[in-house]
Amino acid sequence: SLRERLEGVFKGLRNRGKLTEVDISDALRDVRRALLEGDVNFRVVKDLVEKIRVRAVGKDVLDSITPAQQVIAIVYEEMSALMGGGRQTLSFSPRPPSKYILVGLQGSGKTTTCVKLAKKLSDGHKPLVIACDYRRPAAAEQLRILSSQAGVGFFGPAEGEKDVQLIARMAMDHAAQRLFDVLIFDTAGRLDIDEGLMEELANLGKTVEPVETLLVVDSMTGQEAVNVASAFNERIPLTGIILTKIDGDSRGGAALSIKAATGVPVKFAGVGERVVDLEVFDAERMSQRILG
Amino acid sequence: LFARGARDDTFWESLEEILISGDVGSRQTEEIILSLRERTSSDTSDSEALGTLSSILCERLRAVEGTGMPVRFSTGPTVVMLNGVNGSGKTTTAAKLAWILGNEGKKVLIAAADTFRAGAVEQLNVWGSRAGVRVIFHTHGGDPGAVVFDAIRAVEAGNFDCLIVDTAGRLHNKTNLMEELSKISRIIDRNCQGWTLESFLVVDAVSGQNGLKQAEVFGGTVPLTGLIITKYDHAAKGGIILSAGNELGLPVRYVGIGENMDDLKLFEPEEFVNALLG
Ligand SMILES: Nc1nc2c(ncn2[C@@H]2O[C@H](COP(=O)(O)OP(=O)(O)OP(=O)(O)O)[C@@H](O)[C@H]2O)c(=O)[nH]1
Ligand SMILES: Nc1nc2c(ncn2[C@@H]2O[C@H](COP(=O)(O)OP(=O)(O)OP(=O)(O)O)[C@@H](O)[C@H]2O)c(=O)[nH]1
Ligand SMILES: [Mg+2]
Ligand SMILES: [Mg+2]
């Protein structure tokens, strides 16, 4: 673990006498390594380690009999400062219906997460999931099957319909007639560098006027997480992140990268394939996991 | 970026950022930089150093047996098993492979061995009809091994050249799911004596270091013969393949470059290295 590594480093250093600023910088190489191996973005790591260094070369660390412990405490504090903050609960509209759009790269877990979110909101609400993905084969069918498993409402496009704004408008009419008060829009996976599809998303946002637009991110996403989140954020303002497949063993550094670079908070974590597998995001547990 | 002459700290820092940002990983990056330092001197120019690096990386990839090699055919039918974590692109890749091999005159059959996920069989059936390829499937929730067994029988009865087995996505830390995968692989091994067996790990190019862990654990469960890197049309560089080759000896056979049936091509080390180094 990082703690063990730092203790080893400091033990070796203290045998040579009093700790110096240079010793601390050496120890921070291990912190940097741990963060990079945890898939935190290169530049985010650079800024974060510098913040840690400035605090870690203070007298209370240099004179401490447990410098490793002090440094680790600083690391956790700086990580929490980066990852915490920002509204971590789901927003609702002052007047129903509350509308949510889920967006993200291909295969990140949007369709499954739409239904999980609907399931979560079933208590006290009447949710409707809407299939706006006309691109992936049998996407609407997948959403229909999952929503029936979860016991939530489903609205799908007419056969061959490819106009997402039209699908959205028809869904909102349908919802108004049937008194659905929570609408969750599932969109097609897309590359953040696909101009046409990003434009489609921006237009969908204007039509739907969601209270939240949530970026669904696979927790194993690597260094590109910052570029992806920033690009989506520019086209359709994001209000939250949902990190999926946390039940795997990826370190999940993408969570820290995205929050640090865009300020968008992680709100939920997908922890499995079942419709009940959605938890409120735990930033502290995530910090420990990222450091390995 | 590297237009200046003699190298200095800035060169090494920029290089480190490029490699790490390309998901090469910190350990592999350190090793690459050390190895480049050994092969360059203070009067090597930046562009020369980059050229040397490019050759080193291409050589390393080429040294991994099977790099850029298409699905193998010899005597007997070929079975291609597709493995990987959830959402990596297995089902789409199954369709792409079926399409490519079909166009090369091979008679292809697809086994829909993902009996678990909602809409998985429907998704594969749409692809099958688009590719003009027959799909063997059972009812939802059935035993994946039974689908594979049926498909093997169908290959023999119908004189097919190639069977592509699409499996359910699974996270490699789920022991029971990995055991299920191992069982499917053993069914193929037992019932396809004398056939050519391929087993690919399908990995998302946007993956971070966990992609390497996937290769390690999946590789320890089924006999992998290569990687397919999907979503390579993204800006992600897929740097983990350097470690996959170096440390695990796993070659990249194909890359997926889009969502259409013809968006699959053989892996090319030079193209990968150029994209990585910018
Ligand atoms: N283990 C696990 N699997 C998940 C989780 N979320 C989604 N999945 C799985 O990930 C795969 C992809 O999920 P989808 O919901 O189809 O992803 P998507 O983003 O809608 O995909 P596209 O529409 O093709 O872009 C499926 O196999 C899901 O069951 C999670 O939190 N944990
Ligand atoms: N841009 C791009 N998208 C891809 C590529 N390969 C697959 N996809 C997309 O990724 C998403 C997931 O693909 P699937 O084939 O369903 O992935 P899978 O591994 O079978 O998923 P599970 O069965 O749920 O584990 C779909 O939206 C595909 O269209 C690729 O090479 N490029
Ligand atoms: Mg989907
Ligand atoms: Mg699949």
Side-chain angles (χ1 to χ4, degrees):
Chain A
S1 73
L2 178 65
R3 177 181 299 277
E4 288 162 351
R5 267 192 289 183
L6 285 187
E7 280 170 352
V9 168
F10 279 116
K11 197 148 165 273
L13 292 174
R14 276 227 308 288
N15 288 342
R16 306 200 316 257
K18 194 164 184 306
L19 276 183
T20 66
E21 288 198 14
V22 174
D23 294 333
I24 297 288
S25 292
D26 283 350
L28 288 186
R29 273 215 296 272
D30 274 302
V31 175
R32 180 171 183 268
R33 246 292 196 72
L35 290 168
L36 289 175
E37 284 171 0
D39 286 328
V40 183
N41 179 270
F42 184 88
R43 298 232 162 143
V44 171
V45 171
K46 199 164 180 203
D47 295 344
L48 178 58
V49 171
E50 183 52 23
K51 286 202 181 81
I52 293 167
R53 195 193 63 81
V54 163
R55 289 185 55 192
V57 294
K59 267 190 68 53
D60 45 348
V61 178
L62 293 179
D63 295 346
S64 166
I65 48 172
T66 54
Q69 214 160 298
Q70 301 276 63
V71 171
I72 293 267
I74 293 171
V75 172
Y76 274 120
E77 280 171 27
E78 290 299 327
M79 282 177 81
S80 307
L82 258 191
M83 220 165 12
R87 187 119 190 282
Q88 293 209 354
T89 55
L90 200 66
S91 303
F92 288 87
S93 291
R95 291 180 54 222
S98 288
K99 291 165 277 175
Y100 307 90
I101 303 182
L102 268 64
V103 304
L105 295 180
Q106 288 87 347
S108 56
K110 298 174 293 299
T111 303
T112 314
T113 305
C114 278
V115 180
K116 287 178 181 180
L117 193 59
K119 179 86 183 151
K120 203 171 218 28
L121 298 177
S122 295
D123 191 12
H125 299 278
K126 189 176 174 201
L128 179 73
V129 294
I130 298 131
C132 289
D133 178 359
Y134 59 84
R135 302 182 74 245
R136 170 172 159 152
E141 184 62 7
Q142 179 191 9
L143 190 64
R144 194 190 59 71
I145 294 170
L146 285 172
S147 50
S148 121
Q149 281 175 12
V152 298
F154 167 78
F155 182 88
E159 183 69 37
E161 182 55 71
K162 297 193 173 177
D163 183 344
V164 291
Q165 295 189 61
L166 179 61
I167 297 169
R169 279 197 296 274
M170 293 184 64
M172 293 191 286
D173 287 344
H174 176 88
Q177 289 169 21
R178 310 291 167 88
L179 306 178
F180 288 101
D181 62 343
V182 161
L183 276 54
I184 301 172
F185 295 81
D186 182 25
T187 62
R190 67 202 65 216
L191 299 183
D192 50 297
I193 52 174
D194 186 324
E195 188 45 47
L197 286 183
M198 293 306 280
E199 179 74 359
E200 174 189 84
L201 211 53
N203 292 332
L204 180 65
K206 294 196 189 98
T207 299
V208 169
E209 293 180 315
V211 63
E212 293 246 26
T213 300
L214 302 160
L215 180 69
V216 178
V217 178
D218 193 321
S219 61
M220 67 165 194
T221 304
Q223 294 286 316
E224 279 292 301
V226 168
N227 290 338
V228 171
S230 306
F232 272 96
N233 201 21
E234 261 165 50
R235 300 312 300 274
I236 183 170
L238 302 174
T239 58
I241 308 288
I242 301 184
L243 206 66
T244 59
K245 308 173 204 171
I246 298 277
D247 45 319
D249 61 9
S250 61
R251 301 263 288 265
L256 183 58
S257 305
I258 292 176
K259 178 72 192 356
T262 64
V264 183
V266 182
K267 301 209 170 189
F268 293 102
V271 295
E273 295 194 72
R274 302 169 309 162
V275 292
V276 296
D277 291 330
L278 188 70
E279 291 177 359
V280 173
F281 182 68
D282 184 336
E284 190 167 316
R285 269 226 317 265
M286 200 71 215
S287 296
Q288 294 177 359
R289 177 178 173 140
I290 290 173
L291 285 176
Chain B
L1 180 63
F2 296 108
R4 306 180 318 281
R7 285 160 316 102
D8 52 15
D9 273 351
T10 321
F11 173 87
W12 298 112
E13 284 168 18
S14 306
L15 183 58
E16 186 193 31
E17 176 162 5
I18 284 180
L19 294 175
I20 301 249
S21 300
D23 287 312
V24 172
S26 52
R27 184 177 63 228
Q28 185 78 178
T29 295
E30 283 176 18
E31 190 273 320
I32 287 171
I33 288 187
L34 241 113
S35 137
L36 184 62
R37 286 190 112 114
E38 283 169 14
R39 297 202 206 181
T40 53
S41 64
S42 57
D43 43 39
T44 313
S45 76
D46 279 4
S47 58
E48 281 175 330
L50 267 192
T52 303
L53 178 59
S54 184
S55 314
I56 292 172
L57 297 182
C58 284
E59 277 166 33
R60 281 188 188 191
L61 287 171
R62 293 224 169 272
V64 186
E65 197 181 327
T67 292
M69 181 170 72
V71 172
R72 284 171 304 129
F73 289 91
S74 63
T75 55
T78 292
V79 181
V80 179
M81 187 176 169
L82 296 180
N83 316 275
V85 298
N86 306 70
S88 61
K90 299 172 293 301
T91 301
T92 312
T93 302
K96 290 175 183 179
L97 276 174
W99 174 248
I100 288 178
L101 297 176
N103 284 345
E104 289 172 5
K106 300 284 190 269
K107 190 173 174 195
V108 184
L109 181 67
I110 299 178
D114 178 358
T115 56
F116 168 74
R117 210 206 70 213
V121 170
E122 287 83 342
Q123 180 188 12
L124 199 47
N125 273 323
V126 172
W127 278 123
S129 74
R130 284 183 193 178
V133 173
R134 182 169 155 215
V135 178
I136 297 264
F137 62 97
H138 287 184
T139 53
H140 184 260
D143 170 25
V147 180
V148 174
F149 191 80
D150 267 6
I152 292 171
R153 289 287 163 270
V155 166
E156 290 167 332
N159 252 318
F160 286 86
D161 303 307
C162 182
L163 170 65
I164 299 175
V165 179
D166 181 23
T167 65
R170 68 204 64 225
L171 296 180
H172 48 279
N173 58 331
K174 311 231 161 150
T175 336
N176 57 330
L177 297 184
M178 295 308 279
E179 180 46 46
E180 176 189 80
L181 195 69
S182 175
K183 176 160 167 263
I184 294 172
S185 183
R186 290 199 300 273
I187 289 174
I188 294 172
D189 200 60
R190 269 203 308 276
N191 292 285
C192 303
Q193 296 288 322
W195 298 19
T196 304
L197 304 183
E198 297 265 29
S199 190
F200 298 143
L201 181 68
V202 178
V203 182
D204 193 327
V206 185
S207 321
Q209 297 309 301
N210 197 254
L212 191 59
K213 191 95 188 285
Q214 292 167 25
E216 232 176 285
V217 180
F218 273 87
T221 306
V222 297
L224 294 179
T225 57
L227 303 178
I228 296 184
I229 305 297
T230 58
K231 308 174 205 176
Y232 194 62
D233 42 322
H234 190 267
K237 305 297 187 292
I240 51 169
I241 71 164
L242 286 170
S243 303
N246 237 28
E247 298 170 18
L248 305 175
L250 274 175
V252 180
R253 307 281 295 270
Y254 293 89
V255 285
I257 50 169
E259 302 194 68
N260 297 318
M261 234 156 33
D262 51 5
D263 287 329
L264 187 75
K265 60 178 191 177
L266 296 175
F267 173 68
E268 285 163 33
E270 281 75 20
E271 180 192 23
F272 165 81
V273 173
N274 287 341
L276 176 66
L277 300 181

